[in-house]
Amino acid sequence: MMRRVYCDTRKCLSCSTCEIACALRHSPGDDLVQTLQGGFDAVPLVRVRQGPLGPVFLRCHHCEDAACIDACKTGAMFRDPETGKVLIEQRKCVGCWMCVMVCPFGAVFPVESSGTAMKCDLCDGYDAPACVAACPTGALHFEEFEDFETRYRAQIPVGAWCTEQGT
Amino acid sequence: MAKQLTYADPASREMVKRAAAEDIETVWDRYEAMQPQCGFGTLGICCRICAMGPCRIDPFGGGPQTGICGANADTIAARNIARMIAGGAAAHSDHGRDIVHTLMMAAEDPKSDYQIKEEKKLKTTARTYGIETNGRQNSEVARDLAKAALEEFGRQTGDMTMPSRTPKARQALWRELGIMPRAIDREVVELMHRTTMGVDNDFRNIMKEGLRTAIADGWGGSMIATEFSDILFGSPNPLRSKANLGVLSKDQVNILVHGHEPTLSDVMAAVSRDKRLIERAEEKGAKGINIAGICCTANEILMRRGIPLAGNFLQQELALITGAVELMVVDVQCLMPALASVSRCFHTKLVTTSPKAKMPGVEHIEFHEDAAVRIATEILENAIDNFPNRNGKRVHIPKDTEQLVAGFTPESVFNILGGTYRGTYRPLNDAIIAGRLRGAAGVIGCSNPNVEYEEAHIKMVKELIKNDTIVVTTGCNAISCAKHGLLKPEAAFEHAGKGLQEVCGAVGIPPILHVGSCVDNSRILMTLTNIVSEGGLGDDISDLPVAGAAPEWMSEKAVAIGFYMVASGVYTTIGHPLPMMGSRNLHTYLTEGIEQEVGGKWAFELDPVEAAHKMLRHIDSKRRALKLKPLIYEQAFTPGE
C-alpha cells in the first residue's frame, strides 16, 4: 500500500509551517530569506484552511482513480508505476488548467511564472515529505492509511499543559 | 462569502451589506481571510523575544516543552501577557501625559487655546497631591498640579500619589504584596525589562509586576487623563444625545473625529461652531457643519458637549462607506490602517494629526496644542472645501439613530442621588444594603470580529439589569448600548428588574450609566472607592457586590484595564480568554490563585448570559459575606445555593 501524508487535525494548530516548508522545498532558493530576497517563486503545494469544524489540511491525495490524470490532454499528469505517486512532467504541461478544475480537493495549483500546473509530489526524490518533518506538533504523518487510522483512533494527550516545575 | 451581521444594530447590518455590494473589504472580510489563526499565538506559547527563537511549545506534549533558552510555557505565556499589559498601560498613560502637558500650557499661558474649565475638579485633584488651593489663582494651582502629575510618570524615589485615593485597606494590601506602583513610566520599563530574554523566569513574579504596572495605569495614567481632561474641558453632567450612523447629515459637512485624546476632539467641536466656518460651509452648498465621533474620543465629546456618537471600533470603516463623510480626523489608538484604503473609495479625506500615529500615503496635519484653534480651523476648512466633491449618488446614510443619556461620573450621578447641594452615595449604598439593588457591574470594552458583533455586549447587560444589577459602561460597549436604546431612562421599564426600575424611576436615571471613555474606567474605580467610604458595604473594593466584564475585548488596553480591576479586587470576566491557555499554571493562577492575593480574579466565558450569571453568583456571594438583607424582589436568575 502506498504511503501518503495524513493530518491528525486534532493536533493541527494552523501555524502553516507545513506550507512554508513545502514552498521552500519546491523553490530554487536554499532558505526562507534567500527565497524571498531572490524573488524566487515559492508556491506551497499544501494548504491549511478553515473548515466548518476546525482546520483542514488540503493536499493531493494521489488518488487511485485520479480525475486529474483523466483530464490531462498531454499526458503530463501521470502515475509513477513504481511508487504509485501522481506526478506532473512539467515539460509536457501546456497550462490548460483542466487538472486544476477537476481536482475535487483543489490540490492542483496553476503557477503563473512557469505557466504550468504544480501539485504535491510527496517530495519525490527526497527521503520524506518536508511538511511532515516541519510540523511542530507532529500532526502530519507519512504512512499507509491503515496505520493512520489506527493512530487516529488512539487518544492524544488532552489539553496543552505543562506540569508545574518543582512540585 | 461576505459576512452578514445577525445581532448588531440595523445600521451596521445595512452597511456591511453595502460594503459587500460595493466590493469594499471590511474588518469582517479580513477576519475570515485570516482563518484559521495560529494556535501557538492563540495559546500564548509562541515566543519571539530573542533571536535564538522564534520558539514554540508543543501543547500536546510531543515536541519541545521549553524554548531554546529553557523557558517553559508558564514563563512564555506570562511574558506575553505582561507585554500586553505594558502596551495597554503605555497607551492610556501616554494619553494622560499629553493632557497634563496641556494643563501646564493652559496654566502658563493666559492666551492658550486651552483654559481651566472646572475649578472644582482642579481643587479636588490638587488636594490629592497636597497642593494648597486657598487664596491662590487657578493658574498657580494648575501649574503646581501639572508639575506634580508629571512627576508621577518619572519619579525615581517613593511611590505614586494618585493610588493614595484607594481605600486604606487596599493600599495596605498592595504594600504588603509589593505592588504599590512607584512611577508610571518606571513600571512599564521594568515590565519590559523583566520580560526580555533571560530575566524573570517565574510566572507569578512576572504577573506581580504586571499587576503593579496595571495599577500604575488605572490609578495613575488613566485617572490622570480623566481628571485632567475634566479640569480642562469640564466635568461631565448628565445630558441627552444620539448614537449611530444616522447622525451623519445628508446636507451638512460631515466630519468624524476618531481616536482618543480630547485635546483634539474638544477643540474641533468648539471650532466647528465658528460663524465664519459655517458661512464657508454654506458657500460650498452645505447647510452647516456636523461633527460626530467614533470610539473613545467620541465618548469624550459626548460626555462634555453632547456631540452625537457615529459608531464604535467596528464601525469605523462602515461610517466611511456611507459616502457622506468629508473628512475623518484621527489622533491615536484603535485606528485601523484599512481606513486609508476605504477612504480612497470615496471623496473622504483622511487626516492624521499625531506624530505618534502616521499612515503611509495619508495626509498628515500635525496637531500642536500651542496652535490648537488654528490647526483645528485648517482641518475644518479642508473638510468644508471637500463638500462639493461629495457624490450624492453614492451617499447611503442609514436612518438609524437612538436617543441616549450620558454624562455620568462619580460626581455627577451622585449629585443626582443626593440632591443639588450635596453629592452623596447614601441612597445607592442603602439600595444595595436593603436589597432593592442586587449589586453593580461595569460592562466595558472593545468590539472584536471574533464574536458576533454586539451580541455579547447587549445580552450581558440585559441579563444583568434584568436581575436588579445596575450597570456602568464605558468605551465601545457604551456605544453599543446606546445604539440599542439601552441608555435611555425608559429602558429600565422595558428591561430592568423591579428593584432597579424603582431606583431608576425615583432618580430619573437609565439602568445603564455611560461614564465615559476607556480612560474613564478610572471613574469606575473612584465610584467603587466612594461606595466603600460611604459605608455599610465593607472596607475594601473586594468586599463590594460588584463585578466587571469586557465581553468582546480586542485591545491590549483591555488587558491592562482587566488587570487593574483585578488588582483592585474586582471579579473580571471576558469572552475569549487571555492568550495564555497554553499554560495551565498561569490559567489556574489568574482564575483562582490570584484571588487569595488581591481579592479579585479573572474568568473566561464566551456565552454572555452564562458570564452574567457568573458575575451574579459572585455578587450574591459578596452579599452573603456582608450579611446583607435578602433581595426585595424575586430575581430572574437565582442560583441554587
Side-chain angles (χ1 to χ4, degrees):
Chain A
M1 244 227 111
M2 188 186 154
R3 286 191 298 168
R4 294 180 174 84
V5 177
Y6 296 102
C7 176
D8 185 345
T9 51
R10 299 169 302 177
K11 279 188 162 196
C12 174
L13 291 183
S14 330
C15 68
S16 295
T17 305
C18 51
E19 292 189 16
I20 294 175
C22 174
L24 264 187
R25 168 74 50 91
H26 292 90
S27 88
D30 274 342
D31 69 22
L32 193 53
V33 175
Q34 211 199 54
T35 297
L36 288 172
Q37 290 188 329
F40 297 128
D41 253 333
V43 179
L45 303 173
V46 295
R47 298 292 159 95
V48 181
R49 289 293 177 266
Q50 184 74 343
L53 299 171
V56 176
F57 178 70
L58 292 172
R59 78 297 187 188
C60 171
H61 291 248
H62 297 270
C63 307
E64 286 182 17
D65 185 9
C68 56
I69 296 179
D70 286 345
C72 181
K73 59 175 71 142
T74 63
M77 190 75 76
F78 71 100
R79 186 183 306 280
D80 181 324
E82 274 181 44
T83 62
K85 292 177 188 175
V86 177
L87 302 170
I88 303 174
E89 196 172 337
Q90 289 290 312
R91 64 179 184 84
K92 281 190 185 173
C93 174
V94 295
C96 73
W97 311 145
M98 291 303 293
C99 55
V100 176
M101 288 186 276
V102 304
C103 173
F105 303 102
V108 189
F109 304 97
V111 177
E112 254 188 65
S113 54
S114 60
T116 60
M118 284 181 75
K119 67 172 198 63
C120 165
D121 58 354
L122 286 174
C123 287
D124 197 44
Y126 293 91
D127 284 337
C131 54
V132 175
C135 177
T137 59
L140 295 177
H141 304 278
F142 183 49
E143 56 197 1
E144 294 182 18
F145 179 69
E146 280 78 13
D147 293 331
F148 180 69
E149 202 182 23
T150 313
R151 179 196 297 281
Y152 200 82
R153 295 235 167 93
Q155 285 287 70
I156 59 164
V158 168
W161 305 336
C162 226
T163 54
E164 185 148 27
Q165 282 182 341
T167 55
Chain B
M1 239 284 282
K3 166 84 181 166
Q4 304 268 37
L5 301 178
T6 58
Y7 196 89
D9 65 275
S12 299
R13 278 185 267 139
E14 197 181 313
M15 294 315 298
V16 165
K17 286 201 185 110
R18 189 194 189 199
E22 301 249 335
D23 217 9
I24 300 174
E25 188 190 75
T26 66
V27 62
W28 289 279
D29 301 314
R30 295 188 297 271
Y31 178 77
E32 287 306 317
M34 195 56 74
Q35 301 312 305
Q37 287 172 289
C38 175
F40 293 103
T42 306
L43 293 172
I45 46 180
C46 162
C47 185
R48 292 174 51 237
I49 285 173
C50 81
M52 290 201 289
C55 297
R56 61 208 157 189
I57 306 294
D58 181 350
F60 305 108
Q65 295 304 293
T66 65
I68 293 167
C69 68
N72 65 12
D74 304 336
T75 302
I76 291 174
R79 286 197 296 221
N80 288 334
I81 297 296
R83 288 192 164 199
M84 293 180 92
I85 299 172
H92 288 143
S93 302
D94 208 36
H95 166 170
R97 190 205 317 276
D98 285 347
I99 312 286
V100 176
H101 277 299
T102 305
L103 180 68
M104 182 69 90
M105 194 181 293
E108 291 183 333
D109 178 8
K111 290 202 269 179
S112 165
D113 291 331
Y114 298 96
Q115 293 303 317
I116 295 161
K117 278 224 180 100
E118 193 72 47
E119 185 180 290
K120 198 158 167 216
K121 187 59 79 88
L122 175 69
K123 291 190 168 153
T124 53
T125 314
R127 209 170 299 138
T128 303
Y129 285 89
I131 293 168
E132 181 57 61
T133 57
N134 271 333
R136 299 180 78 203
Q137 296 276 7
N138 281 348
S139 57
E140 278 176 55
V141 174
R143 197 178 330 116
D144 288 351
L145 178 58
K147 189 151 168 285
L150 287 175
E151 268 168 40
E152 298 270 63
F153 288 84
R155 67 154 50 84
Q156 295 301 310
T157 55
D159 294 334
M160 284 178 67
T161 305
M162 197 66 103
S164 65
R165 289 178 166 193
T166 55
K168 292 275 175 294
R170 182 70 17 194
Q171 290 179 54
L173 177 63
W174 285 346
R175 282 192 206 287
E176 196 190 303
L177 290 171
I179 58 174
M180 177 65 81
R182 299 154 294 178
I184 297 168
D185 293 346
R186 178 174 189 174
E187 302 310 343
V188 172
V189 166
E190 185 166 314
L191 200 54
M192 291 303 292
H193 175 190
R194 293 224 206 165
T195 53
T196 198
M197 188 274 153
V199 188
D200 210 340
N201 189 26
D202 178 333
F203 74 92
R204 283 197 197 87
N205 206 41
I206 296 171
M207 286 293 96
K208 205 167 128 186
E209 183 57 24
L211 286 166
R212 182 154 62 171
T213 306
I215 296 167
D217 173 3
W219 293 94
S222 286
M223 194 167 281
I224 288 171
T226 296
E227 302 291 62
F228 283 65
S229 293
D230 281 354
I231 294 170
L232 281 170
F233 305 113
S235 207
N237 282 297
L239 45 65
R240 288 190 182 276
S241 186
K242 296 183 303 183
N244 215 341
L245 296 175
V247 306
L248 292 171
S249 168
K250 65 173 172 22
D251 46 26
Q252 293 185 309
V253 178
N254 287 313
I255 295 142
L256 285 177
V257 279
H258 178 18
H260 283 68
E261 297 185 9
T263 33
L264 171 66
S265 55
D266 199 272
V267 176
M268 289 287 302
V271 171
S272 72
R273 302 221 296 263
D274 182 338
K275 284 203 172 61
R276 287 167 296 176
L277 288 173
I278 298 176
E279 272 166 28
R280 187 180 183 129
E282 286 164 357
E283 279 161 27
K284 299 287 176 178
K287 290 225 173 92
I289 302 173
N290 181 38
I291 303 247
I294 301 269
C295 275
C296 277
T297 208
N299 284 324
E300 301 276 0
I301 53 180
L302 166 73
M303 293 281 284
R304 299 189 178 94
R305 291 175 175 270
I307 305 278
L309 300 167
N312 65 14
F313 175 71
L314 285 184
Q315 291 173 293
Q316 58 188 280
E317 297 161 304
L318 304 183
L320 300 186
I321 294 172
T322 59
V325 177
E326 273 60 62
L327 192 144
M328 178 185 264
V329 59
V330 303
D331 63 2
V332 288
Q333 299 167 30
C334 299
L335 315 172
M336 290 187 192
L339 291 172
S341 48
V342 177
S343 68
R344 282 195 283 269
C345 295
F346 300 93
H347 73 299
T348 306
K349 285 194 174 162
L350 180 64
V351 171
T352 57
T353 58
S354 172
K356 304 172 194 173
K358 289 193 177 181
M359 298 189 191
V362 171
E363 185 175 4
H364 183 75
I365 300 179
E366 196 152 302
F367 186 78
H368 296 284
E369 285 80 356
D370 58 14
V373 168
R374 177 179 64 71
I375 297 170
T377 306
E378 185 189 333
I379 296 171
L380 281 159
E381 284 170 353
N382 273 353
I384 292 165
D385 295 347
N386 198 21
F387 183 78
N389 297 325
R390 191 194 285 193
N391 180 349
K393 295 202 204 81
R394 291 191 73 207
V395 168
H396 183 126
I397 303 172
K399 46 179 173 33
D400 310 277
T401 61
E402 272 290 346
Q403 300 291 325
L404 66 93
V405 177
F408 297 101
T409 68
E411 299 86 23
S412 74
V413 62
F414 300 103
N415 289 336
I416 291 173
L417 285 179
T420 318
Y421 296 103
R422 183 171 163 269
T424 173
Y425 282 63
R426 198 69 247 154
L428 176 66
N429 285 34
D430 282 347
I432 295 174
I433 293 168
R436 183 165 276 105
L437 285 183
R438 192 165 182 170
V443 185
I444 66 173
C446 337
S447 302
N448 190 326
N450 68 6
V451 289
E452 184 60 47
Y453 181 40
E454 302 197 312
E455 185 177 15
H457 280 319
I458 302 301
K459 282 189 174 166
M460 176 182 280
V461 299
K462 281 184 172 169
E463 187 65 14
L464 290 166
I465 61 179
K466 190 164 98 179
N467 284 281
D468 285 342
T469 299
I470 191 167
V471 169
V472 291
T473 177
T474 58
C476 284
N477 175 282
I479 299 175
S480 284
C481 289
K483 291 186 290 161
H484 288 253
L486 297 173
L487 297 188
K488 294 185 290 200
E490 304 87 89
F493 301 110
E494 278 177 60
H495 300 289
K498 278 225 188 76
L500 180 55
Q501 270 186 45
E502 278 180 5
V503 171
C504 293
V507 180
I509 53 173
I512 299 175
L513 303 177
H514 188 342
V515 302
S517 63
C518 292
V519 291
D520 292 340
N521 284 312
S522 65
R523 298 195 202 276
I524 299 179
L525 294 176
M526 281 317 300
T527 302
L528 295 174
T529 300
N530 293 342
I531 291 174
V532 169
S533 7
E534 181 57 43
L537 287 171
D539 297 314
D540 194 357
I541 294 171
S542 49
D543 294 331
L544 298 175
V546 300
E552 298 184 23
W553 75 282
M554 168 279 297
S555 173
E556 291 182 320
K557 294 178 287 178
V559 178
I561 293 170
F563 271 96
Y564 72 63
M565 289 294 177
V566 166
S568 301
V570 178
Y571 175 87
T572 302
T573 161
I574 58 178
H576 276 286
L578 293 172
M580 52 83 223
M581 298 296 274
S583 161
R584 172 166 58 183
N585 293 324
L586 184 58
H587 178 226
T588 305
Y589 175 65
L590 292 178
T591 54
E592 293 171 32
I594 199 173
E595 196 177 32
Q596 323 300 343
E597 294 169 9
V598 293
K601 65 182 179 186
W602 287 91
F604 309 125
E605 177 55 64
L606 271 171
D607 182 315
V609 173
E610 187 49 48
H613 291 172
K614 285 188 168 145
M615 295 161 79
L616 289 167
R617 279 195 201 94
H618 173 83
I619 284 170
D620 288 347
S621 74
K622 293 297 172 180
R623 291 191 66 89
R624 278 195 297 277
L626 287 168
K627 300 193 169 50
L628 299 181
K629 298 198 170 66
L631 297 169
I632 291 178
Y633 294 107
E634 193 183 333
Q635 298 294 292
F637 172 67
T638 315
E641 263 175 36

